[in-house]
Amino acid sequence: MENIKLFLQAVIILFAAPILPGIINRVKAFFGGRQGRNIFQLYFDIYKLFNKGIVYSNTTTLIFRIAAPAMAALSCIAALIMPFGGQSGLLSFSGDFILIVYLLALSRFLLIISAMDTGSPFEGMGASREAQFAVFAEPVFFMSILTLSKITGESSVHGIFSKLSPVLWVENAPVLFLIVLSLFIVMLCETSRVPFDDPDTHLELTMIHEVMVLDNSGPDLGLIFYASAIKLWILGSFVSAIIMPRHSEIFWLDSLIYISGLAIVAISAGVVESVMARVRLLRVPQFLLAAFSVAIMAFVFQSLKG
Amino acid sequence: MAIIIASSLIFLFAAFLNLSVFSKYRKVNFINSVISFFASLIGFGGALAELSYGGKFSPINNSSFLTYFRLDYVSCFFLLALYLIVVAVSIYGNDYLKKMEEKKQLNFFWMNFHILVFSMCGVLLSKNAFLFLLFWELMAFSSFFLVMTDHKKKEVQKAGLIYLCANGAGALFLIAAFSLTSDSYFNFAPAMSGSTLAFFFFLVGFGLKAGFIPLHIWLPEAHPAAPGNVSALMSGIMIKMGIYGIFRALSLLSPWQQSWGWTILLIGIISSILGVIFALAQHNIKKLLAYHSIENIGIIMIAMGLGILLNLKGFNELSMLSFCAAFLHTLNHAIFKSLLFMSAGSVMQASGIGEIDELGGLARKMPQTAFFFLIASAAISGLPFLNGFVSEFIIYYCSFKALSSDSLFTVFSVLALSITGALALACFAKAFSVMFLGSPRKIKTESVVETGKYMRAGMAILSFFSILIGILPYFSFNFLFSKFSPILTESHVWHEISRIFIFFTGTYLCAIFFFAVFMFMRRKIVSENRVDLAPTWDCGYLASSPKIQYTGSSFANPLIEFFSIINPPSASYPAIRGYFPSDNSYSSHPRAFFYETLYKPSIDKMRKMASFFSFIHGGNLRMYVLYIFLSLLALILWKI
């Protein structure tokens, strides 16, 4: 039975992830007074892309050709380490979030070098920005996880998630609130959403993530869309697990809570996207440093308490 | 022990051969690289055997020889790293030095190479302060001559001078420190008193060799000046002798103080972050790599500082594990940094260019070198699948495990590691992609060909070990550290980390499986449809030129701007005059911040002060005799 559950979890993660961008789009459409795209639009997009041919730039090398499948594979693996609701992930060990962060870093590395591989100045621009923002976002993530680990006394994602409970919220509300804030900001930055990057923009000079995949086409582009949806799922899970702490031992109920938590995260991302403009590129590091100070504040509060 | 001594004696013997027999012989280069390859292979085998059988392999026991030398776990570990690097570097040198051999005899070069390896063995084996310093100085001088291989160039002379000064200063501190920590026969002995003073002397003395900030100034000068294989050997293993020394010093000095741990930890944090920030701004590939050595020494120091502080807090197992991380990172850094210097040397030899921004598109011409550089870049950025991640993970693991209420230092180490990791990723994404990808920028790639097969073989060996340790961390970690300390191997922590490492391998296999599935899917789809080749998308602008590509400087610019408070680059902006400005130019240069703001002013001041006293050494022999007489008199009077 346990094995079936684990298998089911993996299937749900790998197949449900593309819904999240759909939810965000629907929220944006609601705010804009439009009917909006189908919630499953990304599935159709990926399906369509998988039926197309590929155009490779003739400056590119092998790196460009393996980057997209490798990125998708790395994201999937990182997602499988994540626990599902209250259940442990397929792989769970002490310090597994470090592996998750570094698997995502490897996929970022591949994205950057494949963008540089095309020799396009626009993609170079995006690559440079992606590398720069990660420098500010990663410490925020680690700082938040440090605080979480300190509150719960655990050092694996599953351990941390399973110790989170409504009771913990009563005792540590301010700290947890600050952590949610900083993790949410990190999520928006790492998944290239407003206010850091606008997935809808169509001016190459101002884009970050979208500009790096200008030369990807067909199945490759589909895999990259898929990988970023999974990344949103992974980072959203951290926020979701804190805002909707699990409180039952029933698999189905926990899973439902977990997924509805993710839906709430996606809706909030959509709301942020609708009510906020993108910040100027030069302001992004300051924005992330603000998130860093929020994370440090959470740690200081926690230390003073204990 | 016998095998290792034999192999180090082969190196000494080969050095003498170069002095005498080979001096007339023409194919010196080939013979020497073969000798060095086999000698180091023997040594590597000996060190492996010694590490796994621990002591059973030494027939020379209880003889007087052993009062001066010893081979314990620590020496053995460093010898393993040393011989591994020498195996790769010597086979690499066979092709690399061919061009140089056409111009001049290489006897002197190879003699110094052999002496350098021999003296490093000596440093690692000696148990006596006098012998240690003797080998230490031998190492300094032979490496100095190797750095000065191209001695006619002005910048090489400057680099040599700085390196010599750093060595001299370091030796003085070491003599002072050893005078506090050895018995009357100069054997190492625990310090009786003044151990904090001795610690700081050791730290400065060994630090000048290891090259952490602010004692790093010789590294970015000497590495670009030296030939590629020498940089690989020096940056890969010679600077690690400083780490070895600090570790030995720590075992001589007790009790450990909290302030030592904090000092080492803070030095590590500063070196790792500043080192990578300085590296990001560099235009020259070898300078960039030299600054990354500083960064990685910083990471090793973080692990050591963590080890000391954890020990003082009572986390004995975690402290031992943290020292394991320091050792493993030493080995890992030796592997990937030598690999980086060797592949950078291949690029420089093939293209004749060391400026990153002028290269580009080399992956088409030198695919294998590009692959090796990519492996090393990913490893040094601490990415999974490769060895750099294993040691960094252990440091993270120790920090997270020791996260109790009063251990603020773990927070510092986690933050420093995460910032350094992200910055290193940016830096190596820049270096790799600008050198090897895109279209050629200023370089003409028509004449560029892949490097010789011996050079590639040397790089392949190191890549193999980088991947081996990365993918199978459980086996390599168990092999390397099962004799490290019984406190560790019998603890809960050891079992947990072993379990984690098995999970790593499992995760990697799953990732490879997924990758294969996606590749297969794509192939299946694409074979039914078309694959087109077209120019890069340029937004409809059809006169694209390689000049508009992003360069390394433009890639790194946002980060350099952000950190310009710490390291302002010197830039000359063009003045724009008139309605139709004509040709103009802009240039920016990274500055050697510490050299220019700290060392140069103080050296200038010292020169000025010295000129005050120049009348003392006026060149008059009778005056000098008088000085000798006066000082003798003073000594006699003082004794009475």
Side-chain angles (χ1 to χ4, degrees), chain A residues 50 53-60 65 69 73 77 91 94-95 98-99 102 113 116-122 124-125 128 132 136 139 142 146 150 204 215 220 299, chain B residues 364 382 384 389 393 396 401 403-404 411 418-419 432-433 437 439 499-500 507 510-511 515 519 522 525-526 530-534 536-537 539 548-550 555 558 562:
Chain A
F50 266 85
I54 303 184
V55 183
Y56 286 122
S57 153
N58 47 23
T59 23
T60 56
R65 296 181 187 213
I77 282 300
L91 302 157
S94 191
I98 301 164
L99 185 63
Y102 275 80
I113 61 174
M116 293 293 282
D117 198 8
T118 59
S120 150
F122 300 118
M125 241 171 243
S128 160
Q132 182 203 2
F136 302 104
F142 271 113
L146 260 174
K150 209 171 149 104
E204 288 88 341
D215 265 277
D220 278 355
F299 184 80
Chain B
R364 286 168 174 279
F389 179 64
F393 180 85
Y396 274 120
K401 277 279 160 186
L403 196 69
S404 63
V411 180
S418 67
I419 295 172
F432 174 74
S433 55
L437 305 177
S439 347
R499 193 174 143 262
I500 291 173
T507 313
C510 286
F515 176 66
M519 285 298 267
R522 194 181 68 182
I525 296 158
V526 171
R530 288 180 307 137
V531 174
D532 286 330
L533 281 177
T536 298
W537 168 243
C539 306
I548 66 170
Q549 285 181 97
Y550 245 43
F555 186 90
F562 186 84

XYZ file of all heavy atoms in Angstrom, chain A residues 50 53-60 65 69 73 77 91 94-95 98-99 102 113 116-122 124-125 128 132 136 139 142 146 150 204 215 220 299, chain B residues 364 382 384 389 393 396 401 403-404 411 418-419 432-433 437 439 499-500 507 510-511 515 519 522 525-526 530-534 536-537 539 548-550 555 558 562:
652
model
N 5.046 19.350 -28.722
C 5.629 18.022 -28.914
C 5.317 17.453 -30.286
O 5.886 16.445 -30.683
C 5.135 17.072 -27.811
C 6.074 16.998 -26.672
C 6.012 17.927 -25.663
C 7.057 16.024 -26.617
C 6.905 17.885 -24.610
C 7.940 15.977 -25.568
C 7.862 16.911 -24.558
N 8.419 20.186 -35.261
C 9.843 19.947 -35.522
C 10.682 20.913 -34.710
O 10.168 21.693 -33.909
N 11.998 20.828 -34.879
C 12.893 21.689 -34.107
C 13.720 22.522 -35.079
O 14.136 22.030 -36.127
C 13.859 20.871 -33.230
C 13.063 19.959 -32.301
C 14.740 21.777 -32.427
C 13.929 19.207 -31.343
N 13.955 23.781 -34.705
C 14.921 24.601 -35.439
C 16.087 24.860 -34.510
O 15.906 25.391 -33.417
C 14.306 25.945 -35.870
C 15.321 26.730 -36.681
C 13.054 25.718 -36.665
N 17.252 24.422 -34.912
C 18.448 24.702 -34.118
C 19.205 25.846 -34.749
O 19.301 25.934 -35.974
C 19.364 23.484 -34.061
C 18.869 22.373 -33.171
C 18.664 21.103 -33.675
C 18.621 22.607 -31.825
C 18.223 20.078 -32.862
C 18.172 21.588 -31.009
C 17.977 20.329 -31.526
O 17.543 19.325 -30.720
N 19.754 26.703 -33.905
C 20.626 27.748 -34.427
C 21.938 27.105 -34.869
O 22.423 26.181 -34.222
C 20.891 28.772 -33.338
O 22.113 29.397 -33.557
N 22.503 27.583 -35.959
C 23.728 26.916 -36.407
C 24.985 27.354 -35.673
O 26.078 26.897 -35.982
C 23.895 27.014 -37.930
C 23.652 28.403 -38.421
O 23.782 29.352 -37.658
N 23.269 28.543 -39.673
N 24.846 28.242 -34.683
C 26.005 28.497 -33.824
C 26.047 27.507 -32.660
O 27.057 27.419 -31.973
C 25.960 29.902 -33.187
O 24.628 30.327 -33.163
C 26.814 30.871 -33.937
N 24.960 26.778 -32.424
C 24.890 26.002 -31.188
C 25.667 24.688 -31.281
O 25.958 24.199 -32.367
C 23.441 25.665 -30.820
O 22.870 24.987 -31.923
C 22.672 26.892 -30.495
N 21.581 21.128 -27.298
C 20.644 20.036 -27.610
C 20.325 19.182 -26.392
O 19.250 18.584 -26.339
C 21.232 19.160 -28.710
C 21.360 19.988 -29.946
C 21.909 19.247 -31.107
N 22.116 20.230 -32.172
C 21.978 19.978 -33.435
N 21.663 18.782 -33.837
N 22.181 20.925 -34.326
N 16.172 18.578 -22.289
C 15.813 17.332 -21.606
C 16.467 17.212 -20.237
O 15.828 16.742 -19.281
C 16.347 16.243 -22.544
C 16.503 16.887 -23.848
C 16.758 18.323 -23.618
N 14.616 16.727 -16.688
C 14.904 15.570 -15.836
C 15.292 16.018 -14.440
O 14.814 15.461 -13.436
C 16.032 14.752 -16.458
N 13.300 15.163 -10.887
C 13.934 14.485 -9.766
C 13.825 15.317 -8.498
O 13.488 14.813 -7.425
C 15.415 14.217 -10.094
C 15.506 13.018 -11.013
C 16.223 13.972 -8.867
C 14.925 11.781 -10.386
N 12.363 9.988 -2.078
C 13.663 9.981 -1.418
C 13.583 11.023 -0.324
O 13.201 12.143 -0.577
C 14.756 10.389 -2.398
C 14.907 9.548 -3.658
C 15.576 10.367 -4.726
C 15.710 8.318 -3.346
N 18.283 13.481 5.528
C 18.676 14.687 6.229
C 19.407 15.617 5.263
O 20.366 15.219 4.615
C 19.586 14.257 7.367
O 19.795 15.303 8.209
N 18.928 16.860 5.159
C 19.596 17.809 4.269
C 19.193 17.651 2.828
O 19.920 18.086 1.935
N 19.048 20.692 0.467
C 20.285 21.175 -0.149
C 20.429 20.562 -1.540
O 20.765 21.243 -2.505
C 21.491 20.807 0.729
C 21.326 21.418 2.109
C 22.781 21.258 0.105
C 22.233 20.824 3.133
N 20.127 19.262 -1.613
C 20.207 18.598 -2.914
C 19.191 19.207 -3.875
O 19.501 19.438 -5.046
C 19.977 17.096 -2.761
C 20.148 16.292 -4.045
C 21.563 16.395 -4.553
C 19.797 14.836 -3.839
N 20.486 22.458 -5.142
C 21.619 22.326 -6.058
C 21.218 21.646 -7.360
O 21.823 21.922 -8.400
C 22.785 21.627 -5.359
C 23.622 22.621 -4.594
C 23.230 23.070 -3.346
C 24.766 23.168 -5.154
C 23.958 24.010 -2.673
C 25.504 24.120 -4.470
C 25.096 24.528 -3.238
O 25.814 25.489 -2.574
N 24.158 28.320 -19.840
C 25.152 28.053 -20.891
C 24.468 27.728 -22.208
O 25.011 28.031 -23.260
C 26.204 26.987 -20.500
C 25.578 25.651 -20.206
C 27.064 27.455 -19.359
C 26.615 24.582 -19.962
N 23.802 31.061 -23.709
C 25.028 31.677 -24.226
C 25.503 30.954 -25.478
O 26.239 31.501 -26.285
C 26.131 31.654 -23.176
C 25.884 32.511 -21.959
S 25.871 34.264 -22.307
C 27.618 34.610 -22.420
N 25.084 29.695 -25.611
C 25.531 28.884 -26.741
C 25.031 29.439 -28.071
O 25.656 29.248 -29.111
C 25.022 27.444 -26.542
C 25.769 26.453 -27.387
O 26.769 26.855 -28.006
O 25.367 25.285 -27.438
N 23.883 30.132 -28.040
C 23.343 30.625 -29.291
C 24.090 31.850 -29.797
O 23.970 32.205 -30.954
C 21.881 31.031 -29.113
O 21.841 32.044 -28.114
C 21.044 29.868 -28.666
N 24.847 32.508 -28.905
C 25.571 33.702 -29.316
C 24.666 34.895 -29.534
O 25.076 35.885 -30.112
N 23.419 34.797 -29.054
C 22.514 35.927 -29.226
C 22.705 36.923 -28.090
O 22.776 36.525 -26.933
C 21.080 35.401 -29.228
O 20.206 36.366 -28.708
N 22.804 38.219 -28.403
C 23.009 39.189 -27.320
C 21.823 39.240 -26.364
O 22.014 39.445 -25.169
C 23.179 40.509 -28.049
C 22.653 40.283 -29.406
C 22.816 38.848 -29.726
N 20.608 39.036 -26.886
C 19.449 39.065 -25.992
C 19.521 37.939 -24.974
O 19.275 38.119 -23.800
C 18.163 38.926 -26.803
C 17.983 40.014 -27.805
C 17.918 39.736 -29.150
C 17.904 41.325 -27.391
C 17.760 40.752 -30.062
C 17.745 42.341 -28.309
C 17.680 42.051 -29.653
N 22.123 36.408 -24.027
C 23.211 36.703 -23.102
C 22.730 37.594 -21.973
O 23.041 37.368 -20.798
N 21.929 38.601 -22.343
C 21.372 39.512 -21.348
C 20.556 38.756 -20.305
O 20.717 38.944 -19.101
C 20.439 40.480 -22.067
C 20.814 41.914 -21.986
S 19.737 42.803 -23.108
C 20.937 43.442 -24.246
N 22.747 36.610 -18.066
C 23.463 37.405 -17.072
C 22.546 37.755 -15.912
O 22.937 37.661 -14.742
C 23.986 38.654 -17.759
O 24.278 39.635 -16.829
N 22.670 36.619 -11.977
C 22.781 37.649 -10.945
C 21.710 37.482 -9.870
O 22.018 37.527 -8.679
C 22.647 39.022 -11.606
C 22.786 40.178 -10.638
C 22.115 41.423 -11.163
O 21.506 41.434 -12.232
N 22.215 42.478 -10.389
N 21.323 36.518 -5.170
C 20.606 37.138 -4.054
C 19.491 36.254 -3.537
O 19.106 36.352 -2.380
C 20.059 38.502 -4.487
C 21.127 39.425 -4.968
C 21.292 39.678 -6.313
C 21.993 40.010 -4.068
C 22.292 40.506 -6.760
C 22.997 40.837 -4.505
C 23.157 41.095 -5.852
N 20.668 32.771 -0.891
C 20.830 32.951 0.564
C 19.502 33.165 1.282
O 19.354 32.712 2.414
C 21.707 34.199 0.676
C 22.365 34.341 -0.622
C 21.463 33.733 -1.641
N 18.045 29.752 1.847
C 18.744 29.006 2.898
C 18.466 29.589 4.273
O 18.315 28.859 5.253
C 20.243 28.979 2.623
C 20.646 27.817 1.772
C 21.124 28.002 0.498
C 20.529 26.528 2.246
C 21.477 26.926 -0.293
C 20.877 25.449 1.466
C 21.354 25.646 0.194
N 16.866 27.556 7.264
C 17.592 27.486 8.546
C 16.644 27.767 9.694
O 16.634 27.050 10.702
C 18.705 28.528 8.561
C 20.125 28.102 8.260
C 21.019 29.318 8.197
C 20.625 27.179 9.349
N 15.330 25.310 12.584
C 15.544 25.625 13.988
C 14.240 25.521 14.779
O 14.234 25.019 15.904
C 16.106 27.043 14.085
C 16.985 27.261 15.285
C 17.665 28.595 15.168
C 17.872 29.115 16.530
N 19.103 29.090 17.119
N 12.358 41.844 -25.980
C 13.478 40.998 -25.592
C 14.412 41.660 -24.589
O 15.017 41.010 -23.753
C 14.293 40.591 -26.829
C 13.608 39.603 -27.720
C 12.728 40.271 -28.764
O 12.375 41.441 -28.565
O 12.400 39.607 -29.751
N 15.586 30.760 -28.622
C 15.993 29.894 -29.715
C 15.526 28.460 -29.550
O 15.800 27.634 -30.409
C 17.518 29.938 -29.874
C 17.903 30.948 -30.920
O 17.866 30.603 -32.106
O 18.207 32.087 -30.556
N 11.724 20.781 -27.397
C 12.631 21.390 -26.411
C 11.920 22.475 -25.623
O 12.024 22.549 -24.399
C 13.841 22.001 -27.121
C 14.878 20.955 -27.434
O 14.672 19.805 -27.007
O 15.871 21.284 -28.088
N 14.859 34.818 11.675
C 15.836 34.035 12.429
C 16.140 34.687 13.771
O 16.227 34.010 14.805
C 17.119 33.894 11.609
C 18.137 33.027 12.265
C 18.033 31.646 12.183
C 19.186 33.565 12.996
C 18.951 30.830 12.794
C 20.108 32.753 13.615
C 19.991 31.385 13.507
N 33.576 23.985 -30.833
C 33.523 23.281 -32.109
C 34.886 22.765 -32.522
O 34.994 21.719 -33.168
C 33.025 24.224 -33.194
C 31.571 24.474 -33.075
C 31.127 25.620 -33.945
N 29.684 25.685 -33.870
C 28.890 24.914 -34.577
N 29.373 24.060 -35.452
N 27.585 24.989 -34.439
N 30.218 23.497 -7.331
C 29.532 22.676 -6.336
C 28.237 22.092 -6.847
O 27.284 21.955 -6.087
N 25.659 19.155 -8.362
C 25.515 17.705 -8.165
C 26.091 16.910 -9.339
O 26.322 17.477 -10.403
C 24.001 17.507 -8.099
C 23.430 18.809 -7.809
C 24.356 19.835 -8.300
N 30.316 19.007 -5.050
C 29.076 19.020 -4.283
C 29.186 18.176 -3.020
O 28.638 18.528 -1.983
C 27.928 18.503 -5.159
C 26.610 18.462 -4.459
C 26.011 19.619 -4.018
C 25.972 17.263 -4.221
C 24.789 19.597 -3.361
C 24.761 17.224 -3.572
C 24.176 18.397 -3.139
N 28.371 19.634 0.486
C 27.191 19.094 1.171
C 27.528 18.736 2.614
O 26.739 19.008 3.521
C 26.654 17.861 0.437
C 25.452 17.267 1.109
C 24.193 17.753 0.838
C 25.586 16.256 2.045
C 23.090 17.232 1.469
C 24.484 15.729 2.686
C 23.227 16.225 2.397
N 27.476 21.824 4.704
C 26.096 22.211 4.969
C 25.481 21.300 6.026
O 24.814 21.743 6.952
C 25.251 22.056 3.700
C 25.245 23.221 2.746
C 25.688 23.084 1.451
C 24.751 24.454 3.135
C 25.649 24.137 0.559
C 24.706 25.514 2.248
C 25.151 25.348 0.958
O 25.103 26.381 0.091
N 23.071 20.318 11.237
C 22.913 19.405 12.362
C 23.228 20.085 13.686
O 22.719 19.702 14.723
C 23.847 18.208 12.182
C 23.277 17.146 11.289
C 22.314 16.273 12.054
C 21.396 15.564 11.101
N 20.357 14.809 11.742
N 22.629 23.070 14.634
C 21.892 24.324 14.723
C 21.193 24.443 16.072
O 19.988 24.409 16.149
C 20.874 24.345 13.581
C 20.245 25.671 13.232
C 21.288 26.569 12.621
C 19.127 25.434 12.237
N 21.959 24.548 17.119
C 21.308 24.719 18.423
C 21.293 26.202 18.771
O 21.718 27.031 17.982
C 22.038 23.898 19.478
O 23.339 24.379 19.596
N 25.203 29.453 11.076
C 24.459 30.315 10.162
C 25.412 31.011 9.207
O 25.190 31.062 7.996
C 23.652 31.352 10.956
C 22.874 32.243 10.011
C 22.721 30.673 11.910
N 26.312 29.435 0.536
C 25.296 29.594 -0.497
C 25.618 30.780 -1.389
O 25.463 30.702 -2.607
C 23.910 29.727 0.127
O 23.814 30.917 0.847
N 26.117 31.871 -0.807
C 26.474 33.028 -1.637
C 27.627 32.661 -2.561
O 27.605 32.922 -3.766
C 26.854 34.233 -0.747
C 25.641 34.693 0.041
C 27.386 35.362 -1.592
C 25.952 35.734 1.070
N 33.096 29.599 -18.989
C 32.929 28.506 -19.950
C 32.235 28.990 -21.203
O 32.682 28.739 -22.316
C 32.143 27.355 -19.320
C 31.815 26.274 -20.298
C 32.802 25.401 -20.727
C 30.547 26.154 -20.832
C 32.515 24.424 -21.656
C 30.257 25.176 -21.757
C 31.249 24.307 -22.171
N 31.108 29.707 -21.025
C 30.324 30.002 -22.218
C 31.009 31.036 -23.093
O 30.908 30.967 -24.314
C 28.914 30.444 -21.828
O 28.973 31.507 -20.944
N 31.657 28.820 -26.178
C 30.385 28.820 -26.907
C 30.210 30.099 -27.714
O 31.039 30.988 -27.693
C 29.235 28.647 -25.908
C 29.328 27.418 -25.012
C 28.191 27.405 -24.032
C 29.341 26.140 -25.829
N 29.778 32.484 -31.141
C 30.683 32.549 -32.291
C 31.993 33.167 -31.827
O 32.023 33.886 -30.838
C 30.096 33.386 -33.412
O 28.759 33.649 -33.206
N 24.189 6.796 4.522
C 22.876 6.569 3.948
C 22.540 7.665 2.934
O 22.054 7.408 1.837
C 21.848 6.545 5.086
C 20.507 6.022 4.661
C 19.567 5.872 5.864
N 18.228 6.225 5.457
C 17.676 7.406 5.653
N 18.358 8.355 6.279
N 16.453 7.644 5.260
N 22.856 8.905 3.314
C 22.578 10.022 2.411
C 23.322 9.841 1.099
O 22.778 10.057 0.020
C 22.989 11.346 3.082
C 22.059 11.650 4.235
C 22.981 12.475 2.088
C 22.477 12.825 5.053
N 19.483 9.007 -6.534
C 18.886 10.171 -7.179
C 19.506 10.422 -8.547
O 18.806 10.690 -9.519
C 19.115 11.415 -6.303
O 18.788 11.093 -4.965
C 18.283 12.562 -6.767
N 18.255 7.987 -11.031
C 16.905 8.352 -11.462
C 16.952 9.503 -12.451
O 16.240 9.495 -13.456
C 16.056 8.792 -10.274
S 15.552 7.468 -9.236
N 17.787 10.502 -12.149
C 17.867 11.669 -13.025
C 18.350 11.246 -14.406
O 17.821 11.691 -15.431
C 18.798 12.717 -12.439
N 16.366 11.612 -17.877
C 17.020 12.279 -19.004
C 16.941 11.393 -20.241
O 16.579 11.851 -21.338
C 18.468 12.582 -18.634
C 19.271 13.172 -19.744
C 18.983 14.438 -20.239
C 20.326 12.471 -20.290
C 19.719 14.978 -21.268
C 21.069 13.009 -21.318
C 20.762 14.262 -21.807
N 15.116 12.257 -23.731
C 15.882 12.244 -24.979
C 15.222 11.304 -25.975
O 15.102 11.609 -27.159
C 17.322 11.792 -24.732
C 18.220 12.808 -24.086
S 18.439 14.284 -25.059
C 19.919 13.871 -25.945
N 12.077 12.751 -27.401
C 12.330 13.790 -28.387
C 12.782 13.185 -29.709
O 12.340 13.587 -30.774
C 13.382 14.761 -27.866
C 13.430 16.022 -28.678
C 14.479 16.955 -28.169
N 15.801 16.410 -28.412
C 16.906 17.009 -28.030
N 16.841 18.138 -27.360
N 18.068 16.482 -28.279
N 9.880 11.828 -31.544
C 9.033 12.846 -32.175
C 9.734 13.476 -33.357
O 9.177 13.613 -34.439
C 8.691 13.948 -31.162
C 7.872 13.367 -30.028
C 7.952 15.073 -31.822
C 7.936 14.207 -28.784
N 11.001 13.836 -33.116
C 11.683 14.654 -34.108
C 11.998 13.860 -35.361
O 12.040 14.405 -36.459
C 12.933 15.287 -33.487
C 13.768 15.953 -34.533
C 12.519 16.285 -32.445
N 10.728 17.515 -38.903
C 11.970 18.001 -39.483
C 12.846 18.652 -38.418
O 12.364 19.206 -37.443
C 11.669 19.028 -40.561
C 11.077 18.409 -41.820
C 10.833 19.495 -42.809
N 10.032 20.571 -42.243
C 10.291 21.855 -42.442
N 11.326 22.215 -43.151
N 9.516 22.782 -41.918
N 14.132 18.603 -38.637
C 15.060 19.399 -37.845
C 15.712 20.388 -38.786
O 16.296 19.986 -39.785
C 16.138 18.530 -37.181
C 17.166 19.401 -36.502
C 15.522 17.588 -36.185
N 15.562 21.657 -38.480
C 16.141 22.677 -39.352
C 17.319 23.345 -38.672
O 17.366 23.453 -37.457
C 15.088 23.753 -39.658
C 14.061 23.243 -40.625
O 14.425 22.375 -41.449
O 12.892 23.674 -40.541
N 18.219 23.798 -39.494
C 19.307 24.645 -38.997
C 19.064 26.047 -39.531
O 18.766 26.221 -40.716
C 20.649 24.126 -39.484
C 21.200 22.931 -38.711
C 22.494 22.469 -39.330
C 21.424 23.300 -37.256
N 19.184 27.021 -38.667
C 18.941 28.395 -39.096
C 19.837 29.297 -38.285
O 20.388 28.866 -37.268
C 17.481 28.749 -38.871
N 20.845 32.141 -35.544
C 20.251 32.496 -34.260
C 19.206 33.585 -34.455
O 19.386 34.484 -35.275
C 21.360 33.007 -33.327
O 22.279 31.963 -33.126
C 20.794 33.436 -31.996
N 18.109 33.498 -33.714
C 17.038 34.501 -33.803
C 17.576 35.851 -33.360
O 18.112 35.994 -32.260
C 15.870 34.068 -32.921
C 14.842 35.130 -32.695
C 14.492 35.699 -31.519
C 14.017 35.735 -33.691
N 13.515 36.621 -31.704
C 13.194 36.680 -33.042
C 13.894 35.604 -35.077
C 12.275 37.470 -33.704
C 12.969 36.393 -35.740
C 12.173 37.312 -35.058
N 15.672 38.867 -33.790
C 14.582 39.818 -33.790
C 14.425 40.492 -35.142
O 14.138 41.682 -35.222
C 14.772 40.888 -32.709
S 15.030 40.163 -31.136
N 28.270 41.691 -31.565
C 27.189 42.092 -30.669
C 26.894 41.043 -29.609
O 26.035 41.233 -28.766
C 25.886 42.434 -31.444
C 25.323 41.190 -32.128
C 26.117 43.529 -32.441
C 23.945 41.407 -32.680
N 27.607 39.952 -29.613
C 27.397 38.939 -28.575
C 27.726 39.496 -27.203
O 28.514 40.431 -27.085
C 28.335 37.755 -28.807
C 27.966 36.859 -29.923
C 28.973 35.745 -30.003
O 28.752 34.687 -29.500
N 30.085 36.006 -30.634
N 27.138 38.869 -26.194
C 27.527 39.219 -24.834
C 28.951 38.736 -24.587
O 29.301 37.612 -24.936
C 26.566 38.571 -23.840
C 25.759 39.582 -23.074
C 25.214 40.675 -23.716
C 25.576 39.458 -21.701
C 24.481 41.621 -23.017
C 24.835 40.392 -20.998
C 24.298 41.473 -21.661
O 23.589 42.399 -20.955
N 28.552 40.093 -19.283
C 27.829 39.086 -18.499
C 27.977 39.373 -17.011
O 27.016 39.305 -16.249
C 28.368 37.698 -18.825
C 27.605 36.581 -18.183
C 26.531 36.004 -18.823
C 27.965 36.110 -16.932
C 25.810 34.976 -18.236
C 27.254 35.083 -16.336
C 26.181 34.523 -16.993
N 26.519 43.320 -14.154
C 25.574 43.655 -13.076
C 26.111 43.308 -11.694
O 25.969 44.095 -10.758
C 24.350 42.803 -13.413
C 24.466 42.461 -14.826
C 25.904 42.468 -15.173
N 27.246 45.795 -8.640
C 26.670 45.679 -7.306
C 27.755 45.632 -6.246
O 27.631 46.243 -5.194
C 25.790 44.434 -7.216
C 25.065 44.331 -5.917
C 23.869 45.001 -5.732
C 25.587 43.610 -4.860
C 23.203 44.937 -4.538
C 24.924 43.543 -3.657
C 23.726 44.205 -3.493
